[in-house]
């Protein structure tokens, strides 16, 4: 995202990145017969869930029969569960 290097968190750079990632996800889902997409990007308290979800809806709308699965991943319970799974599975976190 050249030109957006100094854009603040939750700014245009984040939208561009989410759009790119969700479009690739939607394309893969479409090409492989999946009917729904989702993302873990909205789990972070540092991310704007609406910004992430809007990218998901835009990407899914490009393909007939594909939907974006929107959930509230930022609850205390989900945050705790996310950290438990990340630690157990040794996930890399950006």
């Amino acid at each position: 995202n050249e030109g957006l290097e100094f854009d603040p968190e939750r700014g245009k750079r984040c939208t561009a990145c989410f759009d790119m990632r969700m479009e690739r996800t939607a394309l893969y889902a479409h090409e492989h017969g999946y009917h729904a997409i989702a993302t873990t990007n909205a789990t972070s308290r540092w991310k704007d869930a609406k910004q992430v979800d809007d990218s998901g809806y835009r990407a899914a709308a490009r393909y007939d029969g594909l939907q974006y699965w929107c959930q509230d991943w930022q609850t205390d319970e989900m945050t705790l569960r996310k950290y438990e799974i990340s630690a157990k599975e040794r996930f890399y976190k950006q």
Side-chain angles (χ1 to χ4, degrees):
N1 293 321
E2 191 170 331
L4 298 175
E5 296 89 346
F6 301 106
D7 206 51
E9 183 70 27
R10 300 180 178 201
K12 291 179 185 177
R13 178 184 48 145
C14 289
T15 298
C17 183
F18 295 144
D19 283 348
M20 177 195 64
R21 291 168 187 264
M22 293 306 296
E23 171 54 31
R24 297 290 299 162
T25 300
L27 176 62
Y28 183 91
H30 172 74
E31 290 176 344
H32 292 87
Y34 293 97
H35 301 287
I37 59 173
T39 181
T40 59
N41 284 324
T43 64
S44 172
R45 61 185 167 169
W46 305 111
K47 301 298 180 201
D48 179 347
K50 182 179 182 328
Q51 186 181 32
V52 173
D53 291 336
D54 287 349
S55 290
Y57 286 122
R58 279 193 298 276
R62 293 184 178 113
Y63 302 96
D64 288 337
L66 187 63
Q67 69 176 10
Y68 174 66
W69 190 47
C70 180
Q71 298 291 317
D72 181 4
W73 302 106
Q74 294 182 341
T75 63
D76 290 342
E77 181 180 351
M78 291 303 294
T79 298
L80 177 60
R81 182 73 178 127
K82 173 183 69 173
Y83 287 123
E84 289 171 351
I85 293 169
S86 292
K88 179 182 175 206
E89 300 297 330
R90 297 181 175 177
F91 288 157
Y92 168 78
K93 293 183 281 187
Q94 186 177 13

